[in-house]
């Protein structure tokens, strides 16, 4: 402990600590071994640590009685770390190989050394032999992937693919390398003692390597597990087809639910089932009343066992509590504490751990199936995953069913159309009627758009956006339009109690509309759904009963209470416990609502499996009164945002002539909505809407152009974020407007350019759009309105703004060739930069000349113009007094 100059009495109360410490020092100021050992014991320092202290002769007393050394804490130095640093510094002098240095770093006590080793593994694996890689490098990489420090594990996970590829590419040599290592170990054992012999490194076996890879893939930190999963899937681009299927698909992905650890946990689960409490085999009498049962000997124990216990799946093995109850049935009633404390009354924790571990492995397996299907499509023949996904759809854990629904959409595009129709689509129908809302939400968000893209009826696309989105293969047996309509109704209609599920349909409404572009009934139903909810959000339909084809129950917060109730109803096994209402009026109202829906759609449950119709009707009746209460609530912000976000896709699916007529009012309402996120996404996609309205012609019609002009001006006077979103594609938007519409928008654009450029990034964005605007207007307007803005930005203090506006001058130069008066004004403006007092103006003149010379590379350009008008002024800058100008000129000449 450091000496801070305070005097404390010792145990006897006579001598101070400082005096006692000074008496133990030698005359030279050194600390005696006894004092140092006593101080180390008081400080509880670890072994191998040296404590350095200042000698007493070096102390200088201060006026307050303290000394300089008494105010300095003891410096602790770890000798092991010092030796390691010295070893690494003397590596070259000691002639250590790269592998030895790597091994030293991989086992270092310093984090940065282990990180360095994780990054060096890839280079050494490519240089060293197979034997060295399998015996030294791969085991070291395995240890680094499970390092105690998260940063080391993250670094190794990001560089894991070379290690995996090296092992699986040389897996056939593992047996030979193992035999060689064992022979080497025996040879050393014959010549040396066991104590003096060095351990021989053995390559990891296939089972050990697979178990290690599973642990890395199941790491709790996503920063470790996700890069490892991508690395394992990425081996499909390096390994041969058979090797990838054998080692990764079957050895890693599908073995996640078949590995020894999982089997051990499942055996523990089976043993715990034998310990579950069973009800008594017989009551006091076959027809005894409940009172007699309670009063009978052992009746209390039997009642508790029947109330709290569960009958074992293996009925021939009696539980511990049942045996104890039967043994004492004739003596006296069992005490409650005796029953509760009996072994097996509660489920063993191993059962829950096994179930959670199995669920985690299934979720990882489904995620990797999704990665393989998305990355390789049909190239890796993912039909082997179909039975696995089919079993996952029926899994008791709702998390597994939820992720299985997410896999259906990506897997449908990779397997054959027959498997998609016969297996995957049937699985989707089952998941769409699941009792847990998270499963239905995943089915509506992922599975429904993916299956519709593959299995819907398709004809020749009518729009470039639809053409780019459409699936390449046509299904031999497409799903009928009527069936898609019924599925959309079941997930987004009035019979769906969860707001989150309906919001998931709105989230994918754009993809659904493009996938169902040739299914008119379903496409129109989606359009009516969007139109109805947007109108209700703005009070267009009042009560909401007529908002959309499926009614007006897509309330913003109407599903929160229902979701909680639905979530509580679904237990850990994913089943719901609920019955229909007993009130005849409520049942009659629910039946009437169902009848109205069936008359509107024909057969409302024709698309549903027969086994699930009863459960769906029960769930509908269960939530029917709540739906009536929530029908008048406001539409949620997320639904309004999704309608705005998916508007271009919906317009492309409907076609611009007829689609705009149906969606024009909706678009105008969304552009004026109070939801900031909806207006921003509309401003970002305004140029896409303008392009679709133009169609095959170069510009929109006059009516469409007028609508877009009003929306554009509205966005330009909005908040900064929305204004920036509209300015980002301003040139593309104005390109599709009529020439008269562009001229009408120009004053608003120039006003925004002149007064709303406080931030330099905003000015840079405006300068880039100015280059596009110069191509859209006549020369007189460009020189009169846009050129002054370019000149102002040419003197900007930020170099990025000046560089962004420089390409506009060659365009103006080309426009003014046909008008001598405007060309003279342009020349005067440009040449004035070469005589500017500020060096930024002269530097910008060099940038303009560079842009003009780049423009002269065009075969249609005339290089004589530059030599005649700009070259003399440019040559005069060779003697400029500012070095930056001369450097820019030298770069231009070079």
């Amino acid at each position: 402990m450091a000496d801070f100059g305070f005097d404390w009495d010792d145990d006897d109360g006579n001598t101070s600590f400082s005096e006692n410490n000074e008496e133990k020092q030698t005359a030279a100021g050194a600390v005696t071994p006894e004092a140092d050992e006593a101080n180390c014991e008081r400080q509880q320092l670890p072994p191998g640590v040296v404590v350095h202290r200042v000698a007493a002769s070096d102390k200088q007393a201060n006026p307050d009685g303290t000394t300089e050394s008494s105010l300095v804490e003891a410096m602790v130095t770890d000798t092991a770390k010092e030796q390691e640093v010295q070893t690494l510094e003397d590596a070259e002098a000691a002639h250590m190989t790269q592998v030895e240095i790597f091994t030293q770093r991989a086992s270092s006590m310093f984090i940065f050394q282990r990180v360095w080793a994780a990054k060096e593994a890839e280079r050494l694996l490519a240089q060293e032999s197979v034997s060295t890689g399998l015996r030294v490098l791969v085991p070291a990489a395995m240890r680094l992937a499970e390092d105690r420090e998260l940063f080391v594990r993250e670094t190794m996970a990001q560089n894991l693919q070379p290690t995996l590829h090296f092992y699986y590419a040389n897996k056939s040599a593992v047996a030979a390398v193992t035999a060689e290592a064992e022979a080497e170990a025996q040879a050393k054992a014959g010549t040396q003692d066991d104590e003096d012999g060095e351990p021989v490194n053995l390559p990891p076996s296939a089972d050990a390597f697979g178990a290690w890879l599973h642990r890395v893939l199941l790491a709790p930190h996503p920063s470790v597990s996700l890069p490892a999963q991508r690395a394992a899937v990425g081996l499909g681009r390096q390994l041969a087809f058979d090797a990838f299927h054998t080692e990764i698909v079957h050895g890693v992905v599908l073995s996640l639910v078949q590995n020894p650890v999982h089997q051990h946990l499942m055996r523990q689960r089976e043993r715990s089932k034998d310990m579950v409490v069973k009800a008594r085999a017989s009551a006091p009498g076959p027809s005894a009343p409940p009172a007699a049962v309670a009063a009978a000997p052992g009746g209390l124990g039997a009642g508790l066992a029947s109330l709290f216990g569960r009958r074992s799946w293996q009925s021939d093995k009696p539980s511990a509590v049942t045996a104890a109850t039967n043994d004492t049935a004739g003596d006296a009633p069992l005490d409650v504490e005796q029953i509760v404390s009996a072994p097996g009354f509660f489920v063993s924790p191993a059962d829950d751990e096994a179930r959670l571990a199995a669920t985690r492995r299934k979720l990882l397996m489904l995620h990797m199936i999704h990665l393989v299907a998305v990355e390789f499509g049909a190239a890796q023949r993912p039909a082997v995953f179909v039975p696995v996904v089919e079993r996952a759809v029926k899994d008791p854990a709702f998390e597994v069913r939820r992720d299985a629904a997410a896999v259906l959409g990506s897997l449908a595009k990779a397997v054959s159309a027959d498997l998609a129709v016969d297996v995957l689509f049937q699985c989707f129908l089952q998941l769409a009627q699941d009792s847990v809302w998270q499963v239905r939400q995943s089915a509506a968000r992922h599975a429904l758009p993916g299956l519709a893209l593959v299995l819907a009826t398709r004809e020749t696309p009518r729009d470039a956006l639809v053409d780019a989105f459409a699936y390449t293969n046509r299904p031999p047996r497409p799903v009928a339009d009527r069936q898609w309509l019924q599925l959309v109704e079941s997930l987004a209609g009035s019979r769906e109690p969860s707001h989150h599920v309906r919001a998931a349909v709105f989230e994918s409404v754009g993809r659904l509309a493009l996938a169902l572009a040739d299914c008119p009934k379903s496409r129109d139903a989606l359009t009516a759904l969007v139109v109805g909810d947007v109108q209700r959000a703005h009070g267009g339909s009042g009560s909401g009963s007529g908002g959309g084809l499926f009614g007006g129950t897509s309330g913003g917060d109407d599903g929160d209470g229902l979701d909680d109730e639905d979530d509580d109803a679904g237990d850990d096994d994913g089943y719901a416990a609920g019955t229909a209402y007993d009130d005849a009026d409520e049942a009659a109202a629910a039946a009437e609502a169902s009848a109205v829906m069936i008359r509107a759609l024909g057969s409302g449950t024709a698309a549903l499996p027969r086994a699930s119709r009863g459960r769906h009707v029960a769930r509908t009746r269960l939530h029917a009164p709540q739906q009536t209460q929530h029908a008048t609530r406001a539409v949620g912000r997320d639904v309004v945002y999704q309608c705005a976000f998916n508007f271009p896709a919906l317009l492309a699916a409907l076609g611009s002539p007829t689609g705009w007529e149906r969606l024009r009012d909706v678009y105008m309402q969304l552009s004026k909505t109070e939801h900031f996120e909806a207006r921003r996404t509309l401003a970002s996609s305004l140029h896409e809407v303008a392009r679709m309205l133009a169609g095959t012609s170069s510009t929109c019609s006059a009516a469409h152009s007028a609508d877009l002009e009003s929306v554009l001006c509205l966005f330009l006077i909005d908040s900064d974020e929305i204004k920036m979103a509209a300015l980002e594609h301003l040139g593309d938007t104005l390109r599709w407007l009529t020439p008269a519409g562009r001229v009408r928008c120009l004053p608003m654009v120039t006003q925004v350019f002149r007064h709303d450029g406080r931030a330099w990034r905003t000015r840079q964005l405006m300068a880039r759009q100015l280059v596009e605007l110069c191509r859209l207007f006549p020369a007189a307007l460009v020189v009169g309105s846009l050129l002054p803005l370019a000149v102002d930005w040419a003197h900007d203090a930020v170099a990025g703004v000046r560089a962004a506006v420089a390409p506009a001058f060659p365009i103006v130069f080309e426009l003014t060739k046909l008008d001598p008066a405007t060309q003279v004004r342009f020349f005067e403006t440009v040449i004035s930069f070469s005589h500017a007092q500020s060096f930024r103006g002269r530097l910008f003149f060099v940038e303009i000349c560079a842009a003009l010379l780049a423009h002269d590379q065009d075969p249609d350009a005339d290089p004589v113009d530059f030599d005649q008008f700009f070259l003399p002024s440019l040559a005069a800058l060779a003697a400029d007094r500012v070095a930056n100008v001369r450097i820019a000129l030298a770069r231009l000449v070079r």
Side-chain angles (χ1 to χ4, degrees):
M1 184 172 178
D3 184 7
F4 291 97
F6 300 105
D7 293 334
W8 291 288
D9 293 338
D10 57 2
D11 297 336
D12 298 333
N14 298 324
T15 308
S16 64
F17 173 78
S18 59
E19 295 174 354
N20 189 22
N21 192 24
E22 291 178 359
E23 290 175 0
K24 294 181 180 180
Q25 295 179 352
T26 61
V31 181
T32 61
E34 294 80 4
D36 183 68
E37 182 179 0
N39 292 336
C40 289
E41 291 179 357
R42 285 194 299 270
Q43 298 181 37
Q44 297 181 355
L45 297 178
V49 176
V50 180
V51 181
H52 300 277
R53 288 183 173 84
V54 183
S57 59
D58 296 335
K59 297 182 180 180
Q60 297 178 1
N62 295 325
D64 58 354
T66 61
T67 60
E68 182 178 354
S69 59
S70 66
L71 299 178
V72 179
E73 294 184 357
M75 296 183 296
V76 180
T77 305
D78 195 336
T79 57
K81 290 186 177 181
E82 287 186 349
Q83 293 176 0
E84 180 183 334
V85 172
Q86 188 66 27
T87 302
L88 292 175
E89 289 178 352
D90 299 340
E92 296 182 359
H95 302 288
M96 295 177 62
T97 63
Q98 294 293 328
V99 176
E100 292 174 347
I101 297 175
F102 171 80
T103 306
Q104 185 74 18
R105 287 172 177 162
S107 58
S108 173
M109 291 182 291
F110 296 100
I111 298 177
F112 78 94
Q113 293 285 358
R114 301 199 297 274
V115 171
W116 192 349
K119 295 182 178 180
E120 286 288 318
E122 179 180 1
R123 181 181 63 84
L124 293 178
L125 286 172
Q127 295 177 356
E128 300 298 330
S129 62
V130 174
S131 177
T132 304
L134 292 176
R135 295 177 58 182
V136 179
L137 301 180
V138 172
M142 293 171 63
R143 291 192 300 270
L144 291 173
E146 295 182 309
D147 194 86
R148 61 182 181 273
E149 295 292 338
L150 177 61
F151 186 55
V152 180
R153 299 198 302 270
E154 291 175 348
T155 305
M156 192 65 236
Q158 295 170 1
N159 299 271
L160 191 61
Q161 186 168 344
T163 303
L164 299 179
H165 177 256
F166 181 86
Y167 183 84
Y168 287 119
N170 301 282
K171 187 179 179 181
S172 58
V174 172
V177 175
T178 303
E180 177 185 353
E182 291 177 350
E184 181 181 347
Q186 293 177 0
K188 288 184 177 181
T191 58
Q192 298 178 358
D193 296 336
D194 295 340
E195 297 179 357
D196 298 334
E198 297 180 358
V200 178
N201 295 325
L202 296 177
S205 62
D207 295 339
F209 192 82
W212 163 80
L213 183 55
H214 281 167
R215 292 195 301 270
V216 176
L217 295 175
L218 289 166
H221 292 277
S223 58
V224 177
S225 59
L226 291 181
Q229 294 166 16
R230 290 192 293 266
V233 173
L235 292 177
R237 294 186 295 269
Q238 297 177 324
L239 297 177
F241 175 81
D242 295 337
F244 181 74
H245 260 259
T246 302
E247 305 297 343
I248 302 301
V249 174
H250 293 278
V252 176
V253 179
L254 298 182
S255 66
L256 280 167
V257 294
Q258 299 172 357
N259 58 20
V261 177
H262 171 72
Q263 294 175 0
H264 175 68
L265 293 175
M266 294 307 295
R267 285 194 296 268
Q268 287 185 345
R269 180 179 181 181
E270 292 297 331
R271 287 195 297 267
S272 65
K273 291 175 183 176
D274 300 337
M275 303 174 63
V276 176
V277 177
K278 295 192 298 182
R280 292 195 62 180
S282 59
S287 59
V293 174
L300 179 59
L304 287 174
S306 301
L307 180 61
F308 295 104
R310 287 184 286 178
R311 184 171 297 274
S312 175
W313 293 359
Q314 301 178 2
S315 58
D316 56 334
K317 297 181 180 180
S319 63
V321 175
T322 304
T325 306
N326 292 334
D327 293 340
T328 58
D331 297 332
L334 285 178
D335 187 40
V336 175
E337 296 182 357
Q338 181 180 359
I339 298 174
V340 174
S341 61
F345 183 81
F346 294 106
V347 179
S348 173
D351 185 26
D352 291 337
E353 294 179 1
R355 183 179 59 82
L356 293 176
T359 301
R360 286 189 61 199
R361 292 180 176 275
K362 292 176 183 177
L363 296 179
L364 174 60
M365 179 183 63
L366 291 173
H367 179 64
M368 296 195 69
I369 289 174
H370 170 73
L371 292 178
V372 172
V374 172
E375 184 71 20
F376 302 105
Q380 292 294 342
R381 300 178 185 176
V384 68
F385 299 134
V386 173
V388 179
V389 177
E390 190 176 8
R391 290 194 299 269
V393 170
K394 304 175 183 178
D395 195 87
F398 83 93
E399 298 94 343
V400 178
R401 301 198 304 273
R402 177 197 62 199
D403 285 13
V407 173
L408 288 179
S410 58
L411 194 59
K413 294 182 287 186
V415 300
S416 63
D418 293 334
L419 277 177
V421 174
D422 297 336
V423 180
L424 299 184
F425 187 71
Q426 302 304 321
C427 293
F428 167 72
L429 294 179
Q430 181 178 352
L431 293 172
Q433 302 303 315
D434 198 274
S435 58
V436 181
W437 67 266
Q438 290 95 332
V439 180
R440 301 196 305 274
Q441 181 189 39
S442 180
R445 178 180 296 166
H446 303 289
L448 182 59
L451 290 171
L453 182 63
V454 177
L455 302 178
T457 303
R458 291 190 303 277
E459 298 176 358
T460 304
R462 294 157 296 181
D463 189 84
L465 182 60
V466 182
D467 191 10
F469 185 81
Y471 194 57
T472 55
N473 300 325
R474 294 190 178 186
R477 293 178 296 155
V479 179
D481 184 10
R482 184 185 189 85
Q483 203 165 5
W484 294 115
L485 176 63
Q486 294 160 355
L487 287 171
V488 172
E489 183 273 332
S490 65
L491 294 172
S494 58
R495 292 187 293 180
E496 174 54 56
S498 174
H499 165 70
H500 298 286
V501 179
R502 295 193 299 271
V505 176
F506 279 95
E507 183 178 345
S508 58
V509 69
R511 291 182 293 165
L512 272 176
L514 291 175
L516 302 174
D518 297 312
C519 299
K521 293 182 180 179
S522 302
R523 184 193 60 202
D524 294 343
L526 292 172
T527 304
L529 193 66
V530 171
V531 171
D533 276 24
V534 172
Q535 289 179 351
R536 286 196 306 108
H538 294 80
S541 60
S543 62
S545 59
L549 180 62
F550 306 132
T553 60
S554 300
D557 298 327
D558 56 345
D560 294 341
L562 298 178
D563 293 338
D564 296 338
E565 180 181 350
D566 199 8
D567 213 2
D568 295 338
D571 56 6
D572 291 340
D573 293 338
Y575 298 111
T579 57
Y581 285 94
D582 296 333
D583 193 347
D585 296 337
E586 296 177 354
E592 183 179 359
S594 299
V596 172
M597 189 60 60
I598 291 176
R599 287 196 300 270
L601 298 175
S603 179
T605 57
L608 307 179
R610 294 183 179 273
S612 63
R613 293 181 188 177
R615 182 173 57 187
H616 179 71
V617 173
R619 182 165 56 85
T620 304
R621 292 176 181 175
L622 180 65
H623 298 286
Q626 287 90 336
Q627 293 172 1
T628 304
Q629 295 175 5
H630 297 307
T632 59
R633 292 190 179 182
V635 179
R637 298 173 63 93
D638 53 348
V639 173
V640 175
Y641 170 78
Q642 294 299 340
C643 291
F645 181 82
N646 291 280
F647 185 88
L650 193 62
L651 180 62
L654 293 175
S656 56
T658 59
W660 183 252
E661 296 177 0
R662 300 181 58 180
L663 299 176
R664 178 186 177 278
D665 295 339
V666 173
Y667 192 77
M668 294 301 177
Q669 288 176 341
L670 289 174
S671 64
K672 302 174 184 178
T673 184
E674 61 181 3
H675 301 310
F676 164 78
E677 297 84 358
R679 300 198 310 273
R680 183 174 58 182
T681 186
L682 285 181
S684 300
S685 62
L686 181 60
H687 64 290
E688 291 291 343
V689 175
R691 183 189 61 81
M692 284 183 283
L693 291 180
T696 57
S697 59
S698 59
T699 59
C700 302
S701 63
H704 295 166
S705 180
D707 295 336
L708 295 179
E709 291 166 23
S710 61
V711 175
L712 176 61
C713 294
L714 191 64
F715 290 153
L716 289 179
I717 61 176
D718 211 319
S719 60
D720 292 340
E721 291 83 357
I722 298 175
K723 188 182 305 179
M724 290 284 289
L727 290 175
E728 189 173 0
H729 300 282
L730 179 62
D732 296 333
T733 303
L734 294 178
R735 181 188 308 162
W736 301 109
L737 301 182
T738 59
R742 299 171 194 164
V743 174
R744 288 193 295 266
C745 292
L746 185 59
M748 176 65 70
V749 172
T750 54
Q751 181 180 0
V752 171
F753 279 7
R754 192 173 298 276
H755 299 289
D756 294 338
R758 292 181 296 273
W760 73 268
R761 293 188 183 275
T762 305
R763 299 195 302 274
Q764 185 182 31
L765 177 60
M766 294 176 179
R768 291 173 181 171
Q769 293 301 316
L770 186 65
V771 178
E772 301 294 332
L773 297 182
C774 291
R775 298 188 177 98
L776 301 176
F777 293 95
L781 286 177
V782 170
V783 174
S785 300
L786 301 181
L787 185 59
L789 295 173
V791 172
D792 292 341
W793 287 330
H795 293 89
D796 197 273
V798 180
V801 179
R802 300 195 302 270
V805 77
F809 286 88
I811 300 175
V812 178
F813 178 61
E814 290 294 330
L815 291 175
T816 56
K817 284 183 177 180
L818 301 179
D819 190 351
T822 56
Q823 190 176 36
V824 170
R825 293 177 56 188
F826 173 74
F827 287 163
E828 293 176 352
T829 303
V830 174
I831 295 176
S832 63
F833 285 105
S834 63
H835 307 292
Q837 294 182 355
S838 174
F839 82 96
R840 290 194 183 95
R842 301 193 299 273
L843 188 63
F844 185 71
F845 178 75
V846 178
E847 295 179 1
I848 294 176
C849 292
L852 290 172
L853 290 176
H855 185 73
D856 285 344
Q857 301 298 326
D858 188 0
D860 298 334
D862 187 6
V864 179
D865 295 336
F866 179 82
D867 299 340
Q868 180 180 0
F869 298 105
F870 303 106
L871 187 57
S873 300
L874 183 64
L877 295 179
D880 195 272
R881 62 182 182 274
V882 179
N884 291 359
V885 179
R886 300 195 304 271
I887 292 174
L889 181 60
R891 291 174 178 173
L892 175 61
V893 173
R894 184 184 61 178

